[in-house]
Amino acid sequence: MPETGWRGRMNRPIHLLVCISSHGWGHLSQTVPIVAALRSRVPGLRITVRTGLDANVVRERFRVVGQPAPDVLPDRSDFGFEMHDAITIDDQRSMARYAALHADAAWLDRERDSLRALGVDAVIANVGYMPLAAAASLGLPSFGVSSLNWADVLASRAHGRADVMAVAESMRQAYSKADRLFALVPGMPFDGFERRVWAAPIARRGRADRAGLRKALGVPAAQRIMMVAFGGLPMAFDTARWQLPAGWSAVMLTQATVETPTVIAAERLGWDYIDLLASCDLLVAKPGYGTFAEAGFASRDTLAVPRDDWPEAPWLIDWLAQHARCATIALPDLRAGRFEAGLAAIARQPARVAADGDGAAEIADQIVAVIAERQSGGRPAIL
């Protein structure tokens, strides 16, 4: 798309506020490529990121893809869900936090005041609903983007509670104010949102170096490598008890790894995650957008740890099974290091065709088009 000349107030460059959930690292991974695509289309675009994630990590995620590090402001309002660990939701604490947020009638006024103080011209949220509602109430273009939304996730956890469903409905009303609500593939369907727009996957591709990885591990060239990864949420395993199948080694991206002759902590290698994924034979992981989208782009064999309480999980697993050989491994089996059944299930499957797409470019084009139309004096492009 050609560069756009749209400008902010007082003819200054557009100031875009990017709000990113602190629930793991997947939301950040989805958002950084969108910002990069927008910067390539809008010279001088000013970016401010608001998030509860570690600011240094956020800046580094931009730098590693060749992007200038943005200003990063702390914000704890989009926590997603409280977790016991990387797999298990803490319903009690999650419901209590949302009840407290929505019991405060002044939250919308505070969000408006925040946007005014920052002097922003548009808002992207992955996937907080409060900034979208505040931006819309001020007449600012606003865009939600994610593979899930907290309204549908919360509703799935309500277990018939009317008070929780009322909060979920309030979330849905806030999301409905956005100019666009981009639903990333793979992910939840966003049913009932009139302004939903499907978008292709957003995922990185790594550099495959199978020989280099085995050399770094000090294992034979024929050794098969599994990578165990659980995203940005805590998870630890008693790897000292593991007896891996013959011919296998494991690289662990988890907490407190106890190394053995066949189990190695990833941080000791100094490899980027995405290159490890491209160079290993098998991924073992919980369903999460970034992890599974990247596995699909690599067509990497995957053992998925079921997350029965996470409503996005079935959509992620079904999609990955179209692009990679995929089976499940129960958490007790993973904790005990019992991989044989899962490996056998994968071996019985035919090869798959890797996924493709550039959701970041699609989304950036639509965002630019909406804001340009608003600035031209035309009616906002609302679906």
Side-chain angles (χ1 to χ4, degrees):
M1 173 174 181
E3 292 181 352
T4 179
W6 40 273
R7 308 286 289 177
R9 288 165 289 186
M10 304 295 290
N11 204 37
R12 57 168 171 73
I14 286 282
H15 184 191
L16 177 65
L17 178 66
V18 181
C19 303
I20 303 175
S21 174
S22 59
H23 187 96
W25 297 110
H27 301 278
L28 177 63
S29 297
Q30 292 170 355
T31 308
V32 170
I34 298 171
V35 173
L38 284 168
R39 279 174 162 165
S40 72
R41 290 156 172 75
V42 187
L45 180 65
R46 179 185 171 194
I47 301 294
T48 297
V49 171
R50 199 178 76 177
T51 184
L53 296 171
D54 183 281
N56 291 325
V57 174
V58 173
R59 296 187 188 101
E60 184 61 21
R61 287 291 183 98
F62 279 90
R63 292 191 188 103
V64 297
V65 295
Q67 288 290 309
D71 294 331
V72 182
L73 302 178
D75 176 68
R76 301 291 178 184
S77 63
D78 186 4
F79 62 93
F81 276 76
E82 296 288 349
M83 306 292 293
H84 291 294
D85 53 37
I87 291 179
T88 312
I89 296 174
D90 187 330
D91 280 323
Q92 184 174 354
R93 285 198 301 151
S94 298
M95 307 282 180
R97 284 193 68 172
Y98 277 123
L101 278 175
H102 285 260
D104 182 359
W107 71 261
L108 183 59
D109 289 333
R110 278 199 304 275
E111 281 290 303
R112 290 193 191 106
D113 290 344
S114 177
L115 299 186
R116 291 190 188 103
L118 290 170
V120 300
D121 301 294
V123 172
I124 295 175
N126 188 336
V127 63
Y129 53 95
M130 290 182 171
L132 296 176
S137 73
L138 295 173
L140 300 176
S142 61
F143 309 91
V145 56
S146 189
S147 54
L148 56 78
N149 66 84
W150 299 132
D152 286 344
V153 177
L154 184 64
S156 76
R157 308 296 301 163
H159 305 301
R161 287 179 52 179
D163 58 333
V164 176
M165 291 303 296
V167 171
E169 179 57 29
S170 178
M171 292 177 174
R172 292 184 67 85
Q173 292 175 10
Y175 281 128
S176 71
K177 306 296 184 183
D179 290 279
R180 297 284 192 278
L181 196 56
F182 295 106
L184 291 175
V185 173
M188 298 175 69
F190 286 64
D191 288 337
F193 289 103
E194 292 184 2
R195 297 176 185 174
R196 174 195 65 188
V197 178
W198 291 110
I202 296 176
R204 302 173 296 168
R205 293 175 172 85
R207 181 181 63 88
D209 184 3
R210 294 175 57 84
L213 177 57
R214 283 145 186 81
K215 181 179 179 180
L217 293 170
V219 298
Q223 189 81 350
R224 289 181 288 179
I225 310 298
M226 68 175 68
M227 183 171 71
V228 182
F230 275 77
L233 296 170
M235 201 73 176
F237 297 96
D238 184 8
T239 50
R241 298 171 51 212
W242 285 11
Q243 296 292 324
L244 296 182
W248 281 91
S249 296
V251 175
M252 306 294 296
L253 288 91
T254 55
Q255 291 182 317
T257 297
V258 177
E259 294 192 323
T260 72
T262 56
V263 176
I264 302 94
E267 59 264 27
R268 188 161 62 82
L269 299 176
W271 280 50
D272 288 338
Y273 169 90
I274 195 64
D275 294 335
L276 283 171
L277 179 65
S279 305
C280 72
D281 298 281
L282 174 75
L283 172 68
V284 182
K286 67 177 177 63
Y289 183 89
T291 305
F292 272 38
E294 289 167 352
F297 274 35
S299 195
R300 180 62 57 237
D301 290 353
T302 300
L303 284 179
V305 181
R307 300 178 69 183
D308 295 336
D309 62 354
W310 192 248
E312 184 192 22
W315 304 96
L316 298 177
I317 293 173
D318 288 350
W319 177 86
L320 182 58
Q322 300 173 41
H323 300 289
R325 300 192 301 177
C326 190
T328 59
I329 180 170
L331 184 58
D333 288 334
L334 175 56
R335 290 195 182 280
R338 293 190 292 263
F339 295 96
E340 289 81 2
L343 292 172
I346 285 176
R348 290 192 293 267
Q349 299 177 30
R352 305 286 196 265
V353 177
D356 200 4
D358 190 352
E362 294 178 10
I363 291 168
D365 284 343
Q366 292 206 43
I367 289 174
V368 168
V370 169
I371 296 179
E373 183 163 354
R374 284 201 175 195
Q375 292 200 330
S376 72
R379 294 181 63 186
I382 302 296
L383 293 183

